[in-house]
């Protein structure tokens, strides 16, 4: 446990406790999610921005975020942002559709000088390219219920029929490493069958966990359905924002990655090997008031 290092303990913070330090190009980019999902974004950031130091934060003590109240996710997100700032972060990538929907506006208002990149289901490109006029969206309940999603539909999905499914239970299966087992396949079939029968030709992945079951999604959808993962676009947006703010790391630098989890560091290190093809260095962080004696420094 990290008792000797109080800096690794977070409490759900109120805005007046938060600092907004100035950020330097030499600082890392912080990338956070409720769990392993954001690694599907991290891998694109790594590929596009190899000179950048990255820190990855997985709030696995609280995963899944999907069924949680927006106010709770805002509070977690503020604390994780502050934790990242304390480690010199120059930009935050909210690699979680659910946290973006619940907390991005709040984060931008709270940390006014810090650049954020969020993500949302790729309804815009889905609606722009569908030929059947029918698009499937797989995202969490929290994302579907959000104002941000309602705005997205109103702006970009006029004249397009959206078929939504929250895939309840899929995030915990992915967290458990069940990427291609019978249970995952059965669950995905039941989520996707209605939209496929309705005639969607495009399915948008609106949860960062879901790209890790892409082979199963492709197998169920068949070759004529286009699947859109917004992660490459998020990485390109991160590059644009860094450039605009003059925060790009020197190109000759070799970037590092340090991960933190409020769950089990050893388990996340193992999962990263499976999901990314290399093992992350992982440290634990804890939440004040939560018993997390699994966390290791
Ligand atoms: N990976 C997240 C997302 O993009 C959250 C999943 C969850 O924790 O429910 O929405």
């Amino acid at each position: 446990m990290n008792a000797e290092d109080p800096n690794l303990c977070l409490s759900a913070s109120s805005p007046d406790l938060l600092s907004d330090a100035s950020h330097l190009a030499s600082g890392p980019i912080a990338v956070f999610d409720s769990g392993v999902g954001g690694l599907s974004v991290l891998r694109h950031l790594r590929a596009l921005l190899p000179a950048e130091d990255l820190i990855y934060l997985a709030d696995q003590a609280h995963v899944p975020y999907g069924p949680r109240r927006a106010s709770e996710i805002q509070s977690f997100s503020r604390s994780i942002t502050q934790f990242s700032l304390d480690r010199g972060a120059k930009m935050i990538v909210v690699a979680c559709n659910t946290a973006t929907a619940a907390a991005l506006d709040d984060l931008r208002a709270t940390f006014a000088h810090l650049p954020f990149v969020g993500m949302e289901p790729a309804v815009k490109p889905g609606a722009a390219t569908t030929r059947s006029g029918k698009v499937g969206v797989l995202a969490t309940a929290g994302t579907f219920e959000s104002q941000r999603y309602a705005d997205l539909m109103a702006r970009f999905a006029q004249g397009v029929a959206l078929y939504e499914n929250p895939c309840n239970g899929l995030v915990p299966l992915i967290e458990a490493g069940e990427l291609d087992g019978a249970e995952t396949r059965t669950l995905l079939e039941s989520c996707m069958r209605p939209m496929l029968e309705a005639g969607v030709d495009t399915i948008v992945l609106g949860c960062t966990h879901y790209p890790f079951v892409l082979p199963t999604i492709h197998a169920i959808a068949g070759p004529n359905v286009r699947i859109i993962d917004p992660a490459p676009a998020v990485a390109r947006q991160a590059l644009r924002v860094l450039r605009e703010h003059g925060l790009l790391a020197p190109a000759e630098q070799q970037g590092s990655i340090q991960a933190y989890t409020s769950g089990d560091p050893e388990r996340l290190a193992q999962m990263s090997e499976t999901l990314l093809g290399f093992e992350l260095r992982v440290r634990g962080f804890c939440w004040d008031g939560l018993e997390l004696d699994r966390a290791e420094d």
Side-chain angles (χ1 to χ4, degrees):
M1 193 48 177
N2 306 307
E4 321 81 71
D5 187 351
N7 292 328
L8 285 169
C9 254
L10 286 70
S11 57
S13 13
S14 59
D16 53 320
L17 295 177
L18 304 169
S19 71
D20 203 354
S22 62
H23 358 283
L24 302 170
S26 57
I29 300 170
V31 181
F32 84 85
D33 180 45
S34 59
V36 298
L39 295 177
S40 70
V41 178
L42 183 102
R43 63 185 172 187
H44 290 283
L45 289 166
R46 171 80 313 175
L48 191 64
L49 300 164
E52 300 293 337
D53 290 334
L54 303 173
I55 55 178
Y56 184 76
L57 301 110
D59 188 11
Q60 291 177 298
H62 293 135
V63 68
Y65 275 7
R68 289 181 182 276
R69 287 194 313 276
S71 58
E72 200 175 22
I73 298 171
Q74 283 170 11
S75 158
F76 299 153
S77 301
R78 276 189 221 135
S79 299
I80 290 169
T81 299
Q82 183 61 54
F83 181 85
S84 306
L85 273 177
D86 293 344
R87 277 148 192 82
K90 61 183 174 185
M91 180 170 83
I92 309 286
V93 176
V94 185
C96 175
N97 294 261
T98 313
T100 298
L104 186 61
D105 291 345
D106 176 74
L107 290 174
R108 286 192 166 132
T110 306
F111 301 92
H113 303 295
L114 181 63
F116 286 90
V117 172
M119 55 194 306
E120 52 197 13
V123 166
K124 184 182 174 186
T129 54
T130 176
R131 287 209 290 261
S132 66
K134 295 173 180 174
V135 175
V137 187
L138 303 177
T140 68
T143 297
F144 285 132
E145 286 157 17
S146 67
Q147 186 58 44
R148 186 173 275 269
Y149 184 73
D151 294 345
L152 196 63
M153 282 197 303
R155 286 178 65 201
F156 300 117
Q158 299 295 338
V160 171
L162 296 182
Y163 296 81
E164 297 154 353
N165 197 297
C167 295
N168 292 326
L170 186 55
V171 166
L173 280 172
I174 294 169
E175 286 287 319
E178 293 295 329
L179 305 182
D180 51 12
E183 203 181 336
T184 300
R185 193 183 166 97
T186 307
L187 177 61
L188 271 168
E189 266 165 359
S190 71
C191 300
M192 293 170 61
R193 194 52 58 203
M195 57 181 72
L196 291 170
E197 281 171 5
V200 302
D201 62 357
T202 306
I203 294 179
V204 166
L205 304 185
C207 170
T208 53
H209 280 74
Y210 300 169
F212 291 123
V213 290
L214 197 53
T216 310
I217 291 176
H218 270 305
I220 296 168
N224 300 325
V225 176
R226 178 173 177 234
I227 315 291
I228 305 182
D229 172 8
V234 171
R236 290 194 297 274
Q237 175 65 4
L239 168 60
R240 273 193 293 273
V241 172
L242 287 174
R243 209 177 260 147
E244 266 166 31
H245 287 78
L247 287 174
L248 278 169
E252 66 281 5
Q253 186 175 295
Q254 176 57 49
S256 65
I257 310 180
Q258 173 67 56
Y260 296 87
T261 178
S262 56
D264 180 345
E266 218 168 284
R267 171 99 187 105
L268 179 58
Q270 282 162 6
M271 276 294 278
S272 66
E273 170 81 63
T274 309
L275 301 175
L276 297 173
F278 61 91
E279 193 170 312
L280 289 173
R281 277 182 308 149
V282 188
R283 301 177 77 188
F285 71 87
C286 62
W287 288 98
D288 272 351
L290 262 189
E291 289 300 321
L292 290 177
D293 25 280
R294 291 168 303 160
E296 301 286 330
D297 196 353

